[in-house]
Amino acid sequence: MTQLFPVPGCRLVRVVRDGPTAITLVAEATRDHARCPTCRAVSTSVHSRYRRRPANLPASGEAIRLHLEVRRFYCRDPACPRKTFAERFPKLLARYAQRTRRLAEAQARTGLALGGQPAARLLAHLAMPSSATTLLRTIRRMPLQKPPRPYVVGVDDWALRKGRTYGSFVVDPERRRPLDLLPDRSAETWAAWLRRELQIRLVARDRSAEDARGTTLGAPVAVQVADRWHLLLNTREMIERWLARAHPRLKLLPPTMAPRLSTQRIRAYPRAPAETLARAAAVGRCGLLPVW
Ligand SMILES: [Zn+2]
């Protein structure tokens, strides 16, 4: 029976049917001792017993509820301020939790995929009922996954107060994720960050001298490249500057003798083949003509 309904750290005492759609598992700890959470001393002196009734994962569409026999132990260390303590089941459920860890994780993952209200409606059908508010609270408690260490990073400035205080932000361009915010734009801060990430091989940056110096100090073997956004920005600024300088000279040129081209459209431009195909598919799908 324990193999059919495994309960981490516990042995199954009995299985009780609670009505047509619910089962109760009565379980108790397998160990005959527990460790005081304050002084870490082992105790086998049982003070009292009580029951916890956390909700558990369902089985075959039926709700499963645990009746967990919990023992309270004496702490026999005279120096310990705690006189008694309850045994804990860290793999099974958190302190004071009313649902097992595996049920909380299943509910949180459903909530994460669907959102609060839709997940609550689905979970009610799956015998794992929970309110939307509880789902959102459970999602917020989920530990964040540690992202893989980046080999390529991008760095640029961000304004804490525009024109006054700037910091640096670091991104992972391969995964399109922000990585960190640095409190200032100094080469030393940037170099210190890079020294903690020795695997970095490529740094994309603007043409800031501080970023260049920091990269050389912190990751001397990394290749430094100008990122595409800054290349396009710099190109646009150079063209604008050149045109601003050349504009007075251009105005002095004699008027061209080329015939004036009419800017008025006399007929529709033909559609590209891909546009024609997409339009035909849209008409076939809903019988409506898209407004193009
Ligand atoms: Zn103790």
Side-chain angles (χ1 to χ4, degrees):
M1 195 60 77
T2 301
Q3 286 177 347
L4 280 177
F5 298 103
V7 183
C10 298
R11 86 174 126 255
L12 216 54
V13 178
R14 62 182 180 277
V15 179
V16 182
R17 174 161 284 286
D18 276 349
T21 57
I23 292 173
T24 297
L25 308 180
V26 182
E28 62 183 13
T30 48
R31 288 183 177 175
D32 62 349
H33 62 274
R35 203 175 278 276
C36 171
T38 303
C39 65
R40 309 301 300 158
V42 171
S43 173
T44 54
S45 308
V46 177
H47 170 274
S48 55
R49 297 169 192 267
Y50 65 98
R51 271 190 177 178
R52 289 180 72 178
R53 295 179 172 81
N56 192 25
L57 276 180
S60 304
E62 300 197 45
I64 303 280
R65 186 160 283 276
L66 273 178
H67 277 197
L68 206 56
E69 303 281 354
V70 184
R71 293 166 296 179
R72 180 167 283 278
F73 287 84
Y74 288 103
C75 178
R76 294 301 188 191
D77 185 346
C80 180
R82 193 185 284 265
K83 298 306 168 203
T84 64
F85 63 91
E87 62 184 334
R88 295 182 183 177
F89 304 87
K91 289 184 180 170
L92 181 62
L93 74 168
R95 286 178 76 192
Y96 311 121
Q98 295 179 358
R99 69 200 65 215
T100 58
R101 288 189 191 278
R102 52 196 181 186
L103 173 64
E105 186 182 350
Q107 290 175 331
R109 289 194 180 280
T110 313
L112 207 55
L114 300 179
Q117 289 288 358
R121 286 197 292 271
L122 175 66
L123 288 168
H125 287 288
L126 299 178
M128 294 187 277
S130 179
S131 73
T133 314
T134 305
L135 283 175
L136 296 179
R137 203 169 50 240
T138 314
I139 289 170
R140 288 197 197 99
R141 285 200 201 119
M142 283 177 83
L144 291 174
Q145 273 193 342
K146 206 172 176 186
R149 302 185 81 181
Y151 288 90
V152 179
V153 291
V155 63
D156 202 355
D157 59 283
W158 64 281
L160 191 62
R161 288 183 65 194
K162 201 159 188 178
R164 287 171 177 261
T165 316
Y166 285 87
S168 302
F169 69 84
V170 190
V171 295
D172 179 346
E174 290 185 303
R175 297 178 185 82
R176 296 169 179 259
R177 291 174 61 97
L179 289 175
D180 209 348
L181 287 177
L182 308 183
D184 57 48
R185 293 284 288 146
S186 71
E188 286 69 27
T189 305
W190 175 223
W193 190 93
L194 285 170
R195 285 192 196 104
R196 295 196 298 270
E197 303 284 346
L198 295 175
Q199 77 286 354
I200 287 175
R201 291 291 172 266
L202 199 144
V203 177
R205 59 172 180 81
D206 62 10
R207 295 193 303 164
S208 153
E210 280 291 278
D211 282 348
R213 195 164 68 84
T215 308
T216 308
L217 285 171
V221 296
V223 177
Q224 300 182 37
V225 298
D227 63 64
R228 184 171 52 183
W229 188 86
H230 280 101
L231 282 177
L232 289 172
L233 178 73
N234 293 341
T235 307
R236 195 195 74 190
E237 287 174 351
M238 292 307 296
I239 292 171
E240 280 178 357
R241 267 185 246 159
W242 183 86
L243 285 173
R245 272 210 312 272
H247 190 247
R249 297 202 307 276
L250 293 173
K251 279 173 67 175
L252 294 176
L253 290 174
T256 58
M257 301 305 290
R260 285 177 66 98
L261 292 174
S262 169
T263 55
Q264 197 170 13
R265 221 170 67 168
I266 52 174
R267 62 186 174 82
Y269 295 119
R271 286 195 176 88
E275 288 175 322
T276 310
L277 281 175
R279 186 174 188 274
V283 171
R285 209 163 41 240
C286 59
L288 294 173
L289 283 174
V291 182
W292 286 353

